[in-house]
């Protein structure tokens, strides 16, 4: 049974059904153990750095010095002098821009809304073509210099990784299958929004690409992903733009970076109808309502509900609910709520 | 010794495969085999955008296969992989 504050032992499918109906305590129960582990790690890390009263999302940039290790050398702090290393300064600046976007737009106090430090590691590994979020901090490779460039300098890559942190604390979407694809989707959505803010672009001027600035001319494509045309960003891009082409295989943790193309396309279409400001508000409030095992159908049902509520409060336009529904219908997803 | 390394996942989501045939000193081969036999069960929830490394080594009659995550990829294997990549 769920009361206002407590969930007892209830099968996950029932918790999910209750969470879908808006039961916050059930959603919290679903997001349970991994979040507790993450928060404990965060708390332990934080205690090493600052006192409890001073939490305000301060930035720390570490240099991995080409090793496969994090926190090798602290190179820049919030109030410290700029580093002599351009990549350190880029990671500092871009992570601050993303942190400030979430705070200024949604009132979020850093990644976890509790002032968690924003920690970046740069120069990780040798010719490392990747960036990741590990539950506590971000880590960036320099790229191989042949097909990829430094990952920490790209505002969309940094926004993508930092949004994984926000998602972890708001919904803790598990990183596999459809919940994993939604996790990737939200990272690409806020990467795109932040990138357009960073470059002060309108939706007409924007390219809707992710990772265009980390690929070299030798790379066989223009970017890593495209929200406008999933599957078109490069020769390896397997993203579908519609449920008709849904990937059912085991690669990439059952397609987390593949099937995210489907909701990504819906987001792009929705922005064309109601603009990116309203869309960002709808997507953020939807993320807050999702839970660890949410699938695409849950997403469509929740976003429909959230949009109706925001429209009834006058926070988005009256046309927004129909625009959201039509965008998802266009990619083969339809709400089952009546 | 024949090797094949498949890197899956990561921010780019682009799967990459490295394969070839190299002759190694006995000690170096033993070190690789030993690293492949290390416990490789994930110890944490998967990293967001972490890569997965599938290793297949064939030496004589033996074939050894193992999968590692970013968190538990043994340094010996990382070093060997960096050397392979540098030669390409
Ligand atoms: Zn990601």
């Amino acid at each position: 049974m769920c009361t206002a504050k407590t969930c007892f032992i209830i099968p996950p499918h029932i918790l999910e059904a209750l969470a879908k109906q808006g039961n916050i305590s059930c959603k919290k129960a679903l997001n349970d153990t991994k979040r507790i582990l993450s928060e404990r790690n965060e708390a332990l890390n934080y205690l090493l750095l600052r006192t409890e009263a001073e939490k305000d999302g301060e930035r720390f940039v570490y240099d991995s010095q080409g090793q496969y290790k994090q926190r090798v050398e602290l190179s820049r702090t919030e109030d410290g002098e700029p580093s002599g290393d351009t990549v350190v300064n880029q990671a500092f600046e871009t992570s601050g821009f993303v942190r400030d976007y979430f705070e200024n737009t949604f009132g979020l106090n850093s990644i976890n809304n509790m002032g968690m430090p924003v920690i970046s590691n740069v120069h990780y590994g040798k010719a490392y073509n990747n960036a990741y979020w590990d539950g506590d901090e971000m880590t960036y490779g320099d790229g191989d210099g042949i097909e990829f460039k430094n990952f920490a300098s790209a505002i969309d890559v940094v926004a993508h990784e930092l949004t994984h942190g926000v998602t972890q604390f708001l919904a803790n979407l598990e990183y596999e299958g459809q919940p994993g694809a939604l996790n990737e989707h939200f990272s690409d959505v806020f990467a795109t929004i932040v990138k357009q803010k960073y470059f002060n672009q309108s939706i007409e001027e924007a390219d809707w690409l992710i990772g265009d600035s980390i690929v070299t001319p030798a790379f066989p494509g223009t970017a890593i992903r495209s929200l406008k045309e999933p599957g078109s960003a490069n020769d390896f891009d397997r993203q579908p733009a519609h449920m008709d082409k849904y990937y059912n295989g085991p690669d990439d943790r059952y397609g987390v970076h593949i099937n995210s193309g489907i909701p990504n396309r819906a987001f792009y279409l929705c922005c064309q109808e109601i603009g990116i400001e309203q869309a960002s508000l709808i997507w953020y409030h939807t993320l807050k309502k999702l839970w660890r095992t949410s699938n695409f159908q849950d997403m469509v049902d929740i976003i429909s509900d959230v949009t109706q509520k925001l429209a009834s409060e006058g926070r988005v336009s009256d046309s927004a609910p129909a625009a959201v529904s039509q965008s998802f219908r266009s990619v083969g997803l339809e709400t089952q709520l009546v | 010794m024949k090797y094949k390394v498949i890197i899956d996942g990561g921010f780019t989501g682009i799967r990459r495969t490295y394969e070839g045939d190299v002759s190694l000193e006995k000690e170096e081969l033993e070190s690789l085999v030993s690293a492949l036999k290390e416990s490789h069960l994930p110890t944490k929830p998967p990293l967001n955008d972490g890569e997965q490394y599938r290793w297949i080594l064939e030496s004589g009659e033996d074939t050894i296969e193992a999968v590692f995550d970013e968190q538990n990829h043994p340094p010996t294997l990382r070093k060997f992989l960096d050397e392979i990549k540098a030669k390409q």
Side-chain angles (χ1 to χ4, degrees):
Chain A
M1 283 295 294
C2 284
T3 64
K5 291 181 180 169
T6 320
C7 267
F8 302 111
I9 299 168
I10 296 173
H13 68 280
I14 296 177
L15 282 174
E16 285 170 18
L18 290 167
K20 200 165 178 174
Q21 289 167 19
N23 188 312
I24 292 167
S25 59
C26 286
K27 180 188 158 174
K28 283 182 175 164
L30 279 164
N31 290 344
D32 51 12
T33 50
K34 288 178 185 173
R35 182 200 291 271
I36 290 165
L37 182 65
S38 300
E39 286 181 348
R40 192 189 63 181
N41 286 341
E42 185 269 333
L44 288 172
N45 288 331
Y46 189 76
L47 282 172
L48 296 174
L49 296 166
R50 295 176 59 79
T51 59
E52 187 71 21
E54 294 173 299
K55 278 186 167 186
D56 52 6
E58 291 200 3
R59 288 167 288 180
F60 297 84
V61 182
Y62 288 83
D63 183 349
S64 290
Q65 299 178 335
Q67 301 176 57
Y68 291 98
K69 291 178 182 170
Q70 296 167 308
R71 303 201 192 189
V72 174
E73 182 182 273
L74 182 58
S75 297
R76 189 156 178 197
T77 58
E78 191 69 43
D79 301 319
E81 292 294 312
S83 165
D85 183 330
T86 307
V87 177
V88 167
N89 294 330
Q90 286 170 331
F92 182 84
E93 192 249 335
T94 47
S95 62
F97 190 91
V98 182
R99 175 199 61 186
D100 293 350
Y101 165 77
F102 279 106
E103 180 166 7
N104 297 336
T105 312
F106 306 115
L108 205 65
N109 179 9
S110 190
I111 295 166
N112 65 347
N113 202 24
M114 292 192 295
M116 179 180 181
V118 177
I119 300 170
S120 307
N121 297 271
V122 301
H123 300 311
Y124 178 83
K126 289 186 171 49
Y128 186 69
N129 291 331
N130 196 25
Y132 64 83
W133 165 259
D134 73 353
D136 295 306
E137 52 201 76
M138 295 165 283
T139 299
Y140 303 95
D142 288 333
D144 57 14
I146 301 166
E147 292 188 320
F148 293 98
K149 295 183 279 184
N150 158 38
F151 283 62
S153 63
I155 185 67
D156 48 0
V157 176
V158 172
H160 178 105
E161 297 308 329
L162 200 147
T163 303
H164 276 311
V166 172
T167 295
Q168 175 182 316
F169 289 99
L170 291 183
N172 201 22
L173 289 161
E174 67 184 9
Y175 205 60
E176 188 171 276
Q178 288 193 11
L182 289 176
N183 195 327
E184 278 301 315
H185 163 63
F186 280 100
S187 274
D188 279 350
V189 159
F190 285 102
T192 297
I193 295 166
V194 169
K195 182 182 173 188
Q196 292 184 26
K197 297 271 177 210
Y198 188 80
F199 292 117
N200 200 21
Q201 292 173 328
S202 67
I203 59 171
E204 291 80 18
E205 292 166 334
D207 56 21
W208 300 87
L209 295 172
I210 300 290
D212 54 304
S213 67
I214 60 164
V215 298
T216 70
F219 179 74
T222 53
I224 302 302
R225 288 181 284 280
S226 167
L227 280 84
K228 183 177 180 180
E229 294 179 68
S232 70
N234 59 66
D235 290 356
F236 317 105
D237 188 353
R238 294 193 280 167
Q239 284 205 315
H242 192 281
M243 288 298 284
D244 284 352
K245 298 273 168 51
Y246 183 86
Y247 171 72
N248 270 307
D251 294 356
D252 185 34
R253 297 192 185 278
Y254 296 89
V256 300
H257 296 89
I258 301 173
N259 289 322
S260 52
I262 297 166
N264 278 2
R265 169 77 178 162
F267 175 76
Y268 166 79
L269 292 172
C270 189
C271 288
Q272 306 310 303
E273 296 302 316
I274 61 172
I276 203 163
E277 300 301 333
Q278 289 191 42
S280 64
L281 189 66
I282 291 167
W283 256 257
Y284 178 77
H285 284 280
T286 298
L287 179 59
K288 284 173 71 178
K289 291 258 182 178
L290 294 178
W291 56 94
R292 192 173 63 84
T293 55
S294 301
N295 59 24
F296 282 7
Q297 189 60 56
D298 297 323
M299 165 87 186
V300 181
D301 291 345
I302 293 294
I303 203 167
S304 301
D305 194 46
V306 162
T307 311
Q308 289 282 1
K309 188 163 185 294
L310 289 171
S312 72
E313 293 167 356
R315 298 172 72 189
V316 298
S317 62
D318 291 341
S319 63
V324 167
S325 296
Q326 181 54 43
S327 302
F328 278 95
R329 193 175 300 124
S330 298
V331 300
L333 290 163
E334 190 132 20
T335 181
Q336 290 178 352
L337 294 182
V338 285
Chain B
M1 179 203 75
K2 286 183 179 169
Y3 66 83
K4 186 173 185 180
V5 190
I6 302 162
I7 306 176
D8 196 22
F11 170 81
T12 67
I14 298 172
R15 171 181 277 234
R16 279 152 291 155
T17 303
Y18 300 90
E19 54 187 324
D21 202 343
V22 287
S23 60
L24 298 174
E25 297 293 331
K26 188 168 174 250
E27 269 185 14
E28 200 176 354
L29 179 61
E30 282 173 356
S31 164
L32 280 180
V33 169
S34 164
L36 278 171
K37 289 180 175 171
E38 279 181 25
S39 169
H40 49 269
L41 292 172
T43 52
K44 295 179 186 174
L47 303 184
N48 289 182
D49 295 322
E51 294 179 325
Q52 283 186 299
Y53 305 84
R54 176 176 294 277
W55 283 80
I56 304 161
L57 289 193
E58 283 179 43
S59 181
E61 299 286 299
D62 297 331
T63 300
I64 307 169
E65 184 166 348
V67 182
F68 299 92
D69 289 331
E70 192 69 51
Q71 302 106 307
N72 61 7
H73 197 200
T76 310
L77 298 180
R78 280 201 189 278
K79 185 167 174 286
F80 184 69
L81 179 58
D82 281 343
E83 287 166 5
I84 293 167
K85 286 157 84 176
K87 284 177 191 162
Q88 290 200 340

